[in-house]
Structure formats: C-alpha cells, structure tokens
Amino acid sequence: MKLIHRIKQNLHLDDIRLRNKFFMMYILCVFIPIILTNVIFYNLMSSNVQEQRMVDIKLSLDQVHLELERMIEAAVSVSWVFYTDYTLYSMLDAHYSNPADFVEAYDNYMRRVINSYTPVYTSVQNIKIYVDNPMVLHSGGVAFLSNKVRDTDWYKTLDLRTPSEAIFVKAYKEDSISSGRTEQFKDTFNIIRVMDYFDSLGTWDKVLKIELKTEAFDVILGNLNIPGSVYLVDPDGIIQYTTNRNINWREEQLAIDSLHTGSHTVVFEGEHYDMLPLQGWNIVAHVPESQIMHEAPEVRQYVLWIAITNILLATIIIVIISRSVTKRLGFLLRQMKRVKNGNFDIVNNRDALDEIGQVTSEFNRMTLQISSLINDVYVADIKEKNMELEHRYAQLNALQSQINPHFLFNALETIRMRSMMKNETETAKIIHNMAKIFRSSLTWKRDKVKLKEEVDFIVCFLEIQKYRFADRLDYSIELDPEAERCLVPKMIYLPFVENACIHGVEKVKQGGKVTISLKLVEDKLHFHIHDNGAGMNEEQVQRIYSYLEETKDLGERIGMQNVIYRLKLFYEDQFTFTVQSEQGVGTSIHLIIPVNH
C-alpha cells in the first residue's frame, strides 16, 4: 500500500506533456479498445460461422435422411401395388397348357403393369418377381425361383421378416458369364418381400424384388452441402454405402466405428430410421474441421479491414484535433516566453471561438496592458529609482565628506612642509600619513577600493595613533594574500579601528593592543578586530545592534553608525555583523561581506 501511495504521489497527470496525454488517451481509449473489440467480434463471428456451418451440415444431413426415406417409401409403395394385385397373383399361380398361353397372358397384363411403374419412379431400376411355378417362363420382370436364388444372401434375409414386411437390403447383382457360370458381387440396393397376400389362390412361392438405382444413392448421399464423406450404415454398424472413394464398400464389410477419423474431423450422425424397412439404419457424415471453418479467413479478413478502417479513421481524427490543440498551445507558449524576454508582440492568429482562442485573446489583451503599464508606469518608476539612486550616491559622498574635509588636507600639507624645514622628521611622517588618508578621501569617483589600499589607510591611521599614545598602543595586521585584490567600500573598516584606539585603548594606561585579521573564506571576506581596552556594557552593545534596524537618514552623524548604514546601502541584508564586548576586558567585532573582486 505504501508503494502504491508513493507511486500516486509521484505520478501527476499535470506533469505530463499535452502531446503525451493525447497519445495516452489514444492508446487507452481508441487503439486498445478497437483491438479488443475486434478480437472479441472475430471470435464471436468465427464461433457463429462455425455453429451456422454445423447447423447447415446437420440440416443437409437431415435432408439426405428425408430424401432417402422418401425414395425407399416410393419403392415400398410400388411393392404394395404388386403385393396386393389379385390379377397378378392369378397369372403367376395359373396352370398353362403350353408356353404360348403364358406369353399371351404376360403380354396382356404383366408387361403393361411392370413397364408402367419403372419409368414413373426414377429411383427404380428394375422390378422382378421370382416364382417357382415351372410353367411360368423367364421373361422381363419374371424369373424362376431356383435353389440358387434361394441360396443368395438377400433371399435368406426373408427368414428374418415379419408377415407382409418389405425388406431393404443390399443384394448381389447377377450377371451371366459366357461359360454359363454366374458371378455375384455387391452392387445394388433392393426392396424385397414375399408375395403371400392371396395365399389361398395357389401353392407357388412368389418373391418380389425391386432393384433401386445406385445413381439415385449417389445423388442423394452426395449432397454438395456436406463437404465430407457420407456413410449409409445398417443396424449392425456396417457401412453399406459411402461417398468416400478410399473405401471399397462394395466388397468389404467395414464397421463405421473402425474408421480412424482423427482429432480434426467432426462426426455428424442423423437419427436412426424407425420406419420399415429402414428401421435401425442410419446416415453418418465425417467432415474435416477445415471444411467447417473454410469461411474463417473471409471473416478474419473482414474483421481486419474493419479494425484497420476504425483505427485509421480514429487516428486521423485524433491527430487533427490534437494538432489543433497542441500546435496553438505551443505557439502561445513560445509567445509567452518572448513576452518574458521583453518582446510584447501580440498573437496574430485567427480569433477562434474555443477555449484556446479565448485564452489567446486574453493573452493579447494582457500583453497590450503590460506594454502600456511598462511605458506609463515602469519607465516613470525607473526615472524615480534613478533619482533616488543619485540621491543615495550624493548622501554617501556627503557621509564620506563628513569624515574627510578637503581643507584639512591643504592645512596638513602646510604643517608637514614646515616640520620638514625644521628637521622634525617624526612629526612630518605622522602628518604625511594623515595627508594620505585625506588625499584618498578626495577621490569622489570611486566608492570602492582594493582591500590592500584600505589596509594601507588603516596602517596610516594606526601609525598616527601610535605616535599619539606612544608605548601604550601596539597593533598587528594579518592580511590574506588572496584577499588583497578584493574590492570593499572605501574606509569601511577605518571607523572600527578608530573606535578600538580611541574608545578602547585610550583608557588603558599601558599594554594596549589592537589585532586585525582579514581572510577570504569561500567567497566571503571575514574582517575581525579585537582590542584589550575598556570594553562596553550590554546596553552599549545593544545600541550598536539597533543601528542595523534604522533606515532613516543619518544627517551629520558619523562613526560606527555611519559604517553600518553604508553597509546596508552596499549589501542590503547580505552581510553579517557581530559584536562581543566585556567591560575591563575588551571588544571584538566580526564583519563578513560578500567578495567583490
């Protein structure tokens, strides 16, 4: 949970560029949904196509089932006509004195009856009645019921029949060979039944055999809507007919369950026939999966084109809209940066009515207002600031002039010349040091000097004070060589040296010492001065600190308050000033200012 919370804290949409946001929105809201939708749509369509194809095959199998049933029913109907024909029974059971009588009876009735049904029922190839009446001649539609016929498989199936039942059987077709031998092979399907409807008319056995056309089975079972192999299976599961050319169904007895279908074959099985004579028979179809899914590539191509069209259309629309947003916002952002750099040109784009257009209009209005304010207010304020700055410089020079009156320099030069004339060398040296201090104060054009020059002024001042106090004053100066060229405000340290000598050491009868240290530390100039003089109480120290808070004009006040005021003018709040003092022990002052080389 902590990791998730941390990720949420670090992940802000506001930190993502607008172009990337549009790209994320496109990927998450357009591309991925379109892909997922089309994948789901493809799976659904493929499943529907497969299911519909299986339904179509099942319907075609049912149609084959029904057509075969109709064909057999038609043949059974024909058999019922012969089975119930009293005249036919009379003719077959009659006693003929000579063959001519049978031929006459055959021509008058039998030929007409048989020939009237064979052309009408296209599925019927031949109609033949077997009778053991020796006086009936072998002729078209009539044959002698010999022992050889009784030994055939199809005849033996009559033993399994029920009374008046017609039987559907695959029988041997009899062809005569020139040698007089008869060869039998499986070829035809037949409807056979014992003609015993009028048993009282005679004692001769009669069997009706209606031979069906094999081509009719080819037409029915070879349904083009079933793209596989179709099998006609008897009640024992033996294949009696198939459209599979790899199986010799005429001469072999193969069980449907013995066929190796494989994992990529779908088995369709129709309902078992419950009508006579097809009771127990069934139609089975083996269809490869590739035939069921042969329309899948078309579906896939169709879905793919839909996906490509949707993606391209959505991409074009989003690119146009995103460019309308990002391009104008980018131009507006660049214009804002130019305004930041002082270029106040307005945006000359068309006045659009959307939010970006409104922002652009407000930006132009703001730019014109800023330009007007700069011209009307800022320029005037600059003039005022320049006047104030000149006033500050004048005040600074006035403060300096309070310490360094010009006429003193001329007077000191006169006194030094007189001392030299009288050979008063020591006095002349002191006066020379004093003159150097005053001469430097006359340089009005420079408000900053090198630290080395400032130290020289301090040395001059200390030499004068040492001449004044004699052995009561001693001093030492430690100057960092790297800090000699740093620029500092002119005479910024001298008032501290003056206070250390006059207000500190002056009250000490002997052993007065002033120690000065100037060091450069990390681009900061550290000034430290210590004296072992009279020191100050807490109230005096706090009064010095109060100078840091005063901002009013000093007028004619000089000294330490003058220095602090000048430091504030130069460095504002970028300097550090600390005072440590104890009465009877001495005073330490630490001043840190930024380096200005």
Side-chain angles (χ1 to χ4, degrees), residues 18-19 21-23 25-26 30 312-330 354-356:
L18 192 60
R19 182 179 299 174
K21 288 181 182 179
F22 276 112
F23 181 73
M25 183 172 63
Y26 168 74
V30 177
L312 287 178
L313 183 61
T315 301
I316 293 173
I317 294 174
I318 289 180
V319 167
I320 293 174
I321 295 176
S322 62
R323 281 180 59 85
S324 173
V325 175
T326 56
K327 184 178 180 181
R328 290 191 294 157
L329 283 179
D354 60 356
E355 287 79 358
I356 299 178

Side-chain angles (χ1 to χ4, degrees), residues 339-356:
V339 170
K340 182 181 70 173
N341 295 328
N343 186 348
F344 295 98
D345 295 336
I346 63 173
V347 180
N348 294 322
N349 290 345
R350 183 180 66 86
D351 294 335
L353 300 178
D354 60 356
E355 287 79 358
I356 299 178

Side-chain angles (χ1 to χ4, degrees), residues 453-509:
E453 298 179 36
E454 182 72 6
V455 173
D456 291 340
F457 300 154
I458 294 174
V459 171
C460 292
F461 179 80
L462 289 173
E463 287 294 327
I464 294 173
Q465 298 302 320
K466 191 171 183 181
Y467 173 76
R468 173 185 175 187
F469 295 111
D471 296 335
R472 292 168 55 193
L473 174 64
D474 190 13
Y475 71 90
S476 65
I477 299 177
E478 181 184 359
L479 175 61
D480 187 354
E482 295 181 359
E484 289 182 353
R485 301 183 64 84
C486 294
L487 298 177
V488 296
K490 186 165 55 177
M491 294 187 182
I492 200 69
Y493 299 129
L494 190 59
F496 298 112
V497 179
E498 181 183 4
N499 282 350
C501 294
I502 297 176
H503 299 291
V505 177
E506 185 178 11
K507 298 181 181 181
V508 178
K509 293 183 179 181

Side-chain angles (χ1 to χ4, degrees), residues 91 96 98-107 135-137 139 142:
M91 189 188 73
Y96 299 99
N98 55 67
D101 294 338
F102 172 76
V103 173
E104 183 181 359
Y106 177 82
D107 290 337
M135 291 172 287
V136 174
L137 299 177
S139 56
V142 179

Side-chain angles (χ1 to χ4, degrees), residues 146-391:
S146 63
N147 290 333
K148 192 173 184 177
V149 174
R150 295 179 189 273
D151 290 336
T152 59
D153 291 336
W154 65 265
Y155 186 85
K156 292 178 181 180
T157 58
L158 294 174
D159 297 336
L160 303 176
R161 70 181 180 87
T162 59
S164 70
E165 175 185 343
I167 299 176
F168 174 71
V169 65
K170 183 169 67 174
Y172 291 103
K173 182 178 179 181
E174 299 176 358
D175 286 344
S176 297
I177 307 300
S178 59
S179 62
R181 182 172 55 87
T182 301
E183 181 179 353
Q184 297 178 337
F185 58 92
K186 298 176 182 179
D187 190 24
T188 62
F189 291 92
N190 304 274
I191 299 295
I192 59 176
R193 69 189 308 167
V194 177
M195 298 182 64
D196 55 1
Y197 190 74
F198 298 102
D199 288 341
S200 60
L201 295 180
T203 59
W204 305 111
D205 292 335
K206 297 174 286 296
V207 177
L208 174 65
K209 179 183 177 185
I210 300 177
E211 183 179 330
L212 303 177
K213 292 181 180 179
T214 306
E215 292 81 2
F217 286 85
D218 293 337
V219 173
I220 294 174
L221 274 69
N223 193 311
L224 297 178
N225 291 326
I226 303 177
S229 299
V230 181
Y231 302 88
L232 179 61
V233 182
D234 65 13
D236 296 327
I238 305 301
I239 300 173
Q240 298 297 336
Y241 178 89
T242 180
T243 59
N244 188 349
R245 298 182 181 274
N246 297 322
I247 296 178
N248 187 6
W249 58 272
R250 298 176 184 272
E251 300 181 5
E252 298 179 3
Q253 284 192 345
L254 293 176
I256 187 68
D257 295 336
S258 66
L259 298 180
H260 179 68
T261 58
S263 59
H264 299 289
T265 301
V266 181
V267 178
F268 294 87
E269 187 172 352
E271 296 292 335
H272 286 76
Y273 288 102
D274 57 357
M275 56 159 283
L276 295 175
L278 288 175
Q279 188 172 15
W281 288 67
N282 190 19
I283 296 177
V284 179
H286 291 174
V287 181
E289 285 186 355
S290 59
Q291 293 295 328
I292 297 176
M293 294 300 296
H294 76 280
E295 295 182 0
E298 298 179 2
V299 174
R300 182 168 56 250
Q301 187 175 10
Y302 174 72
V303 173
L304 181 62
W305 279 112
I306 291 178
I308 292 175
T309 302
N310 290 337
I311 290 175
L312 287 178
L313 183 61
T315 301
I316 293 173
I317 294 174
I318 289 180
V319 167
I320 293 174
I321 295 176
S322 62
R323 281 180 59 85
S324 173
V325 175
T326 56
K327 184 178 180 181
R328 290 191 294 157
L329 283 179
F331 179 78
L332 186 59
L333 180 61
R334 290 191 297 271
Q335 190 66 25
M336 288 181 177
K337 291 180 179 179
R338 286 196 289 268
V339 170
K340 182 181 70 173
N341 295 328
N343 186 348
F344 295 98
D345 295 336
I346 63 173
V347 180
N348 294 322
N349 290 345
R350 183 180 66 86
D351 294 335
L353 300 178
D354 60 356
E355 287 79 358
I356 299 178
Q358 297 178 18
V359 171
T360 303
S361 299
E362 294 300 325
F363 171 78
N364 288 337
R365 187 178 297 108
M366 180 190 67
T367 302
L368 294 175
Q369 290 179 352
I370 292 175
S371 178
S372 177
L373 288 173
I374 288 176
N375 293 330
D376 297 342
V377 178
Y378 184 64
V379 173
D381 186 63
I382 289 177
K383 292 181 180 179
E384 183 179 352
K385 293 295 183 182
N386 288 335
M387 292 178 64
E388 183 178 354
L389 186 59
E390 291 177 359
H391 174 70

